[in-house]
Amino acid sequence: MAVPAPHPASTEPSAGLGFILKKAVISALVALVLFFLMIGIRTEAGPSGQLIYWTRFGELAAIVGAVFVGSIVIELLRRWIGPVGGVELPASVRGGFAVLGRLLAPALLIFALLVPVIFYKERYLLDLAILVMTYVMLGWGLNIVVGLAGLLDLGYVAFYAVGAYSYALLAQSGLPFPHFIDTYPYVALDFQQLGPWAFWVLLPVSGLLAALWGVILGFPVLRLRGDYLAIVTLAFGEIIRLVILNWQDLTGGPNGISGIPRPTVFGIPLTPGEHGFAAMIGVPFSPTHRLVFLFYLILALALITNWVTIRLRALPIGRAWEAMREDEVACRALGINITTTKLSAFAIGAMFGGFAGAFFATRQGFISPESFSFQESALVLAIVVLGGMGSQLGVALAAIAMIGGFELFRGLDQFRMLVFGGVMVLLMIWRPRGLIGHRAPTVFLQKRTEISASLVKEGHG
Amino acid sequence: MTNAAPILAIDGLTMRFGGIVAINELSFTAQRRQITALIGPNGAGKTTVFNCITGFYRPSGGTMTLVHDDDATFRLDRLHDFRICKYAKVARTFQNIRLFPGMTALENLMVAQHNTLMRASGFSLLGLLSAPSFRAAERQAIDLAREWLQRIGLLDRADDAAGNLPYGDQRRLESARAMCAQPALLCLDEPAAGLNANESAALSDLLLSIRDDIGTSILLIEHDMSVVMEISDHIVVLDHGVKIADGAPRAVRDDPKVVAAYLGADEEDAAAVMEGGA
């Protein structure tokens, strides 16, 4: 193969053609090894159970060729529009971007407030907006644990599940231990007596129970870091799901729980009857009312999460979280109790997950273990990483892009994941530290200067 | 008014890692409002002593007693981890700088005041509600941080990321961060390592001003003998985990055992060298 010698000035895109080709050949070879058995040979069970196989070398060649060309294209893209050596924008344009950046968050907020007004007639879009807001809230909750405290949590969905099941079980059957109620009738709580107030009373209860489970998870993993922490949290998420799946008496197992009380506008049910919300304010009943209410409910919950996180970040506890992410040993030398700092991050993150879970249960009216699979954890973590760890605006943008984008490509059927994966790869090439990677200081003397992502640590666990 | 007792009394400190004895029956005292230097060749066990004092290691034997100005007494060998800094008020720096690189210089100094601010924020509840008492405490903390930034000459870089500061500035910032924890005893692990002559001189001035103006006692590990000899009131020399000399800078410098330890010769040879040289 005729490989041109590398040009001395390696800043030119044409330089290092040999390097690009070499990289492409290596990628193609890896693809060949990987796909030789997966695609090159097709096996199937014959009619009487024997093995039938035939070769598909044409497809294999196509795939390897695609990897070869794709590798070259990605490498070229990286050189032209990669994170390093990009075109320096003129000051006026950069100033314009800065203004846009500052206006982005308020603009998004105003847009979010107006969503039910704009899309009142579009049921599907309202549903989607509620889903997106749920993930924004989950992302913001996980951001406390992963983004601020730097603790890689792959089992966040466990707290979502705890919140959802806490609400569903307590609202349906009070304390879910019949013999306990028989033995101690005076402490038995029958939450059905709460009637329309069930959601509002049980929402904080669900959050607190999830926070409790956050602490329970936190204790055994205090000494773990990085990969080990990730594995244990992943296992914890699975344990919760499997317990829910198998404890049939309590949770209904795979059948789930149905007939979960719907939310009320502070005690006024959203029903067609004469005591319903529509009759109360004197408008004809419409099922969209509930959607609009649910949207504003999750928006309020998400904004509370956001407000608390922003406030906590500027408090000593939040600074300790970030300092712990940066250097745990230095924290100990400065008299910071790592145990309580870690547990508080787990507990507060879990609490918001629990709120989101209770909302999920009341919105669906039905929950089952299927909704709390590992995929949910991975999705929420992807939102946090894609958004830029620690950035509230970044997480919101990522949730909109991931959930909204996922729906956008619904027409592509089985190629949806392919498009999705491609977009993720491109984003990680352009913005390896997430959409908003820099960090804003929590306190300043003269000027709030943004801290470049390269200095900010991602945490060891 | 001033307490006459030594701020730190170490008695029979022993640290074993498996079969290796890193520190063997070490005893010395650090006097109040003085700079005590801990020197010795590489691998002598100096940093191990520091790790025992600051709660990173639990010593295998011996006692370490710290006495505050108000006679409050702490047994450092019984305290552990963050409690040494929080209750006994011993702050330290590290041989390889351990700042929070992604946080600004000011934020680094604010983190050092965590325990004070945490109490003032009512464990975050008052802070969440932005109570006036917390805001006042926060302002005070910022003022203390500003004062230290001024002392180390980094006031104009207060809002820059610590990881972006030049090496010498990072060293000084780490010392200032330890001081923001308002310690009774400041432990510095090689603060002059990698500094040029000017920076070393500035560091000496800073340490003297900490001793004289603020009245904090200092325990210092240092290889830069110009700094050690200039500012130390008292020097303890370690070799292979054993104390080989203890005294005023001049006396220690002329001690044949010390010279032998540094030159790697045995005692008789060193004595011969000293006599021959004199």
Side-chain angles (χ1 to χ4, degrees):
Chain A
M1 190 176 10
V3 178
H7 200 272
S10 58
T11 47
E12 287 173 38
S14 65
L17 190 62
F19 171 74
I20 295 177
L21 282 177
K22 191 174 147 199
K23 223 174 156 175
V25 168
I26 291 174
S27 305
L29 276 177
V30 171
L32 181 67
V33 171
L34 270 179
F35 292 124
F36 180 72
L37 289 176
M38 283 162 64
I39 289 171
I41 300 173
R42 171 81 185 169
T43 58
E44 236 169 56
S48 55
Q50 84 278 31
L51 184 72
I52 307 176
Y53 69 93
W54 64 95
T55 52
R56 298 192 298 185
F57 290 136
E59 283 94 332
L60 180 64
I63 293 271
V64 170
V67 169
F68 181 76
V69 174
S71 169
I72 293 176
V73 168
I74 285 180
E75 195 55 39
L76 288 178
L77 277 176
R78 235 175 147 136
R79 300 211 167 196
W80 288 328
I81 37 182
V84 279
V87 187
E88 190 67 20
L89 295 166
S92 56
V93 178
R94 264 185 292 143
F97 272 126
V99 171
L100 271 183
R102 265 199 303 283
L103 291 179
L104 188 56
L108 270 181
L109 178 62
I110 291 170
F111 177 71
L113 284 170
L114 292 178
V115 158
V117 180
I118 302 170
F119 302 114
Y120 187 77
K121 295 239 170 352
E122 314 256 1
R123 232 192 114 87
Y124 166 71
L125 282 180
L126 270 184
D127 249 334
L128 181 59
I130 293 171
L131 190 68
V132 168
M133 280 317 295
T134 314
Y135 280 97
V136 169
M137 175 160 180
L138 285 172
W140 278 340
L142 185 61
N143 198 18
I144 295 174
V145 186
V146 178
L148 295 185
L151 304 161
L152 187 53
D153 185 351
L154 284 179
Y156 192 61
V157 78
F159 308 121
Y160 191 42
V162 167
Y165 272 87
S166 300
Y167 171 62
L169 289 173
L170 290 175
Q172 275 213 323
S173 42
L175 272 182
F177 302 101
H179 57 275
F180 182 78
I181 297 178
D182 292 342
T183 323
Y184 309 101
Y186 43 90
V187 290
L189 293 168
D190 184 1
F191 289 105
Q192 278 176 317
Q193 287 171 3
L194 293 169
W197 286 97
F199 177 73
W200 295 101
V201 174
L202 293 177
L203 177 71
V205 174
S206 308
L208 288 178
L209 282 173
L212 178 72
W213 279 97
V215 174
I216 290 173
L217 164 69
F219 262 111
V221 302
L222 274 174
R223 291 168 173 277
L224 301 182
R225 290 167 162 222
D227 308 351
Y228 306 97
L229 176 72
I231 295 285
V232 175
T233 51
L234 188 153
F236 179 78
E238 283 301 289
I239 288 171
I240 295 274
R241 191 178 65 84
L242 289 173
V243 167
I244 290 173
L245 195 62
N246 289 299
W247 195 353
Q248 297 244 1
D249 304 343
L250 180 68
T251 63
N255 300 327
I257 300 174
S258 53
I260 300 167
R262 287 334 209 45
T264 57
V265 187
F266 300 103
I268 309 164
L270 287 151
T271 49
E274 59 178 303
H275 298 294
F277 182 71
M280 204 75 103
I281 59 167
V283 293
F285 173 78
S286 150
T288 314
H289 290 168
R290 173 179 286 152
L291 279 184
V292 170
F293 175 68
L294 281 173
F295 179 81
Y296 281 121
L297 180 61
I298 187 66
L299 182 64
L301 285 173
L303 288 178
I304 289 171
T305 312
N306 186 32
W307 179 81
V308 170
T309 310
I310 289 173
R311 292 282 316 165
L312 283 179
R313 226 188 125 223
L315 289 179
I317 182 82
R319 279 197 207 109
W321 288 339
E322 290 201 84
M324 190 169 70
R325 177 191 67 202
E326 299 279 317
D327 194 328
E328 201 175 303
V329 172
C331 279
R332 285 161 57 195
L334 291 171
I336 295 175
N337 185 343
I338 292 292
T339 306
T340 52
T341 308
K342 270 192 185 173
L343 289 184
S344 62
F346 270 122
I348 293 174
M351 182 179 75
F352 289 122
F355 288 153
F359 171 81
F360 177 76
T362 194
R363 173 198 163 208
Q364 302 282 90
F366 165 77
I367 51 172
S368 74
E370 266 173 50
S371 312
F372 307 104
S373 61
F374 169 67
Q375 209 182 345
E376 295 295 305
S377 286
L379 186 57
V380 178
L381 186 67
I383 286 172
V384 173
V385 173
L386 192 66
M389 302 212 294
S391 161
Q392 297 292 97
L393 179 60
V395 168
L397 289 175
I400 295 169
M402 297 267 291
I403 309 300
F406 215 62
E407 289 297 319
L408 205 66
F409 295 120
R410 193 170 275 282
L412 294 174
D413 292 332
Q414 74 264 43
F415 298 112
R416 190 156 69 140
M417 281 315 246
L418 195 65
V419 171
F420 197 65
V423 172
M424 287 283 272
V425 169
L426 286 182
L427 264 171
M428 286 294 120
I429 290 174
W430 283 320
R431 304 205 70 98
R433 294 296 295 261
L435 292 174
I436 299 182
H438 54 71
R439 172 180 177 274
T442 56
V443 59
F444 59 98
L445 282 187
Q446 288 108 16
K447 193 169 156 286
R448 194 183 291 271
T449 37
E450 274 159 357
I451 296 170
S452 130
S454 57
L455 291 172
V456 180
K457 294 266 173 71
E458 289 166 44
H460 308 286
Chain B
M1 188 203 133
T2 46
N3 197 327
I7 182 135
L8 178 68
I10 291 185
D11 190 28
L13 179 70
T14 303
M15 184 74 214
R16 283 185 215 98
F17 296 104
I20 297 163
V21 183
I23 307 168
N24 194 7
E25 295 285 329
L26 174 69
S27 304
F28 71 89
T29 58
Q31 296 302 319
R32 201 169 295 278
R33 291 183 218 293
Q34 286 201 351
I35 297 178
T36 306
L38 196 58
I39 64 169
N42 288 328
K46 306 180 296 288
T47 300
T48 309
V49 173
F50 257 41
N51 283 343
C52 288
I53 294 173
T54 52
F56 281 84
Y57 295 158
R58 206 182 265 283
S60 320
T63 61
M64 300 181 289
T65 315
L66 185 96
V67 183
H68 282 178
D69 285 358
D70 61 0
D71 277 330
T73 304
F74 298 89
R75 283 283 299 274
L76 300 186
D77 48 304
R78 289 181 187 164
L79 283 175
H80 201 54
D81 205 35
F82 72 96
R83 292 175 193 85
I84 298 246
C85 178
K86 187 172 178 182
Y87 302 113
K89 295 277 167 209
V90 179
R92 73 170 291 181
T93 65
F94 294 87
Q95 202 169 340
N96 40 352
I97 307 174
R98 282 183 172 275
L99 287 167
F100 306 120
M103 302 175 91
T104 65
L106 177 65
E107 281 181 305
N108 268 276
L109 301 189
M110 295 294 279
V111 171
Q113 304 177 56
H114 175 80
N115 288 316
T116 321
L117 283 173
M118 200 67 187
R119 259 193 309 280
S121 77
F123 300 93
S124 301
L125 282 177
L126 290 174
L128 264 184
L129 302 171
S130 192
S133 62
F134 171 69
R135 285 211 305 271
E138 172 113 342
R139 267 197 303 278
Q140 250 177 0
I142 291 176
D143 285 343
L144 182 68
R146 192 202 309 267
E147 188 194 315
W148 275 103
L149 286 168
Q150 183 124 46
R151 266 179 204 272
I152 60 172
L154 283 181
L155 193 54
D156 54 329
R157 303 212 62 178
D159 300 322
D160 287 346
N164 262 346
L165 297 175
Y167 181 83
D169 290 353
Q170 292 197 12
R171 279 255 173 236
R172 269 177 298 147
L173 183 61
E174 204 193 10
S175 305
R177 187 180 68 179
M179 281 309 292
C180 275
Q182 294 175 295
L185 177 67
L186 175 67
C187 298
L188 301 170
D189 198 346
E190 298 199 24
L195 299 188
N196 64 32
N198 285 339
E199 288 171 328
S200 286
L203 179 84
S204 298
D205 291 343
L206 177 70
L207 297 187
L208 289 173
S209 101
I210 288 175
R211 179 191 67 183
D212 299 334
D213 304 342
I214 298 162
T216 305
S217 316
I218 297 177
L219 188 63
L220 178 77
I221 293 178
E222 190 48 72
H223 279 303
D224 185 336
M225 285 304 146
S226 62
V227 172
V228 171
M229 292 300 161
E230 188 190 330
I231 65 170
S232 308
D233 299 299
H234 187 89
I235 295 179
V236 177
V237 190
L238 278 188
D239 190 22
H240 294 107
V242 182
K243 184 170 84 175
I244 56 170
D246 185 349
R250 191 178 302 270
V252 166
R253 188 175 49 190
D254 298 338
D255 191 319
K257 279 192 207 158
V258 176
V259 177
Y262 270 92
L263 293 182
D266 60 37
E267 227 170 273
E268 290 85 32
D269 289 348
V273 168
M274 300 296 283
E275 276 159 22

